[in-house]
Amino acid sequence: QSALTQPASVSGSPGQSITISCTGTSSDVGSYNLVSWYQQHPGKAPKLMIYEVSKRPSGVSNRFSGSKSGNTASLTISGLQAEDEADYYCCSYAGSSTSSYVFGTGTKVTVL
Amino acid sequence: EVQLVESGGGLVKPGGSLRLSCAASGFTFSSYSMNWVRQAPGKGLEWVSSISSSSSYIYYADSVKGRFTISRDNAKNSLYLQMNSLRAEDTAVYYCARDRGSGFSFGYWGQGTLVTVSS
């Protein structure tokens, strides 16, 4: 199972919106509405930001939103803030007959 | 408050073995699936293994299948990862992660434990 493809880096100015793409295949992203997104600051554990494509856990800012079209999922951060600077990873369920989960390659978000 | 605390990491020679533990608290451990996710130094996240709440279902990444064994002890609120035949490419921070609740995402994470495989 190959890693999902994400852009290596995305940047934006404070207040702007950015979108991170996550491209998989018909065996993972395209087959299940089970894409999640994680934020990871340096030296810290990942934090769940979005689950089941577009749902936000309690406590996560509504500036974070998720969507999916075909084999590509997306995470949008609106009203970019300095604290949003981090690495972001997507993850998709890929079925129980194979490696169950596949993560994305990761995207470094820089706030200019 | 959900807490997951990993232990057991360290330096091991190629071909060696190591057992990681994850102590859980703040929730009913026996009700949730649990997972191990690793991250090689400077690299991305990689799912390693998952175990259902009653240990009925167990899954492994192809990269560790046949070498790693996940298990849990619900009476002790603990998750384990037995790692055998370790390779240099297994060097990583290993995170214990709890199923969010409805499954299919990792809602809570421990702080991680570093495993270094080197001669």
Side-chain angles (χ1 to χ4, degrees):
Chain A
Q1 196 83 19
S2 298
L4 308 177
T5 301
Q6 298 179 231
S9 62
V10 172
S11 61
S13 299
Q16 286 187 330
S17 293
I18 62 168
T19 297
I20 303 168
S21 61
C22 168
T23 301
T25 69
S26 58
S27 297
D28 38 62
V29 176
S31 284
Y32 306 95
N33 287 325
L34 295 171
V35 176
S36 51
W37 289 89
Y38 302 86
Q39 175 192 66
Q40 186 180 33
H41 287 107
K44 300 294 187 182
K47 174 186 176 183
L48 177 66
M49 304 302 285
I50 295 287
Y51 67 99
E52 293 175 11
V53 175
S54 60
K55 298 177 181 178
R56 270 189 315 275
S58 173
V60 172
S61 171
N62 59 8
R63 298 186 296 105
F64 291 84
S65 61
S67 62
K68 191 189 89 167
S69 177
N71 296 338
T72 298
S74 298
L75 174 71
T76 297
I77 309 174
S78 57
L80 200 60
Q81 298 180 2
E83 68 215 47
D84 300 331
E85 185 161 298
D87 293 325
Y88 291 82
Y89 295 91
C90 62
C91 180
S92 176
Y93 180 67
S96 59
S97 62
T98 180
S99 289
S100 297
Y101 296 91
V102 58
F103 278 94
T105 50
T107 298
K108 169 66 177 178
V109 168
T110 300
V111 181
L112 301 172
Chain B
E1 178 193 4
V2 172
Q3 282 205 316
L4 300 168
V5 180
E6 302 95 335
S7 61
L11 175 63
V12 60
K13 289 181 168 55
S17 297
L18 213 55
R19 188 195 197 206
L20 305 183
S21 299
C22 172
S25 61
F27 65 100
T28 304
F29 182 72
S30 59
S31 296
Y32 293 90
S33 293
M34 297 295 295
N35 311 272
W36 289 100
V37 176
R38 69 184 180 182
Q39 186 170 35
K43 303 296 185 182
L45 300 171
E46 179 188 15
W47 170 78
V48 173
S49 182
S50 297
I51 185 168
S52 63
S53 57
S54 61
S55 304
S56 297
Y57 302 98
I58 288 175
Y59 305 99
Y60 298 99
D62 289 343
S63 57
V64 307
K65 203 171 294 183
R67 300 187 299 122
F68 289 12
T69 302
I70 191 172
S71 63
R72 64 190 296 161
D73 185 335
N74 287 343
K76 295 183 177 180
N77 291 342
S78 294
L79 174 72
Y80 306 102
L81 186 67
Q82 177 66 43
M83 304 186 295
N84 298 331
S85 303
L86 282 162
R87 306 166 180 167
E89 53 264 36
D90 295 319
T91 294
V93 173
Y94 284 74
Y95 293 103
C96 164
R98 197 201 86 175
D99 176 340
R100 185 193 162 273
S102 57
F104 309 109
S105 64
F106 310 113
Y108 297 90
W109 299 66
Q111 84 289 349
T113 187
L114 176 62
V115 173
T116 303
V117 184
S118 174
S119 54

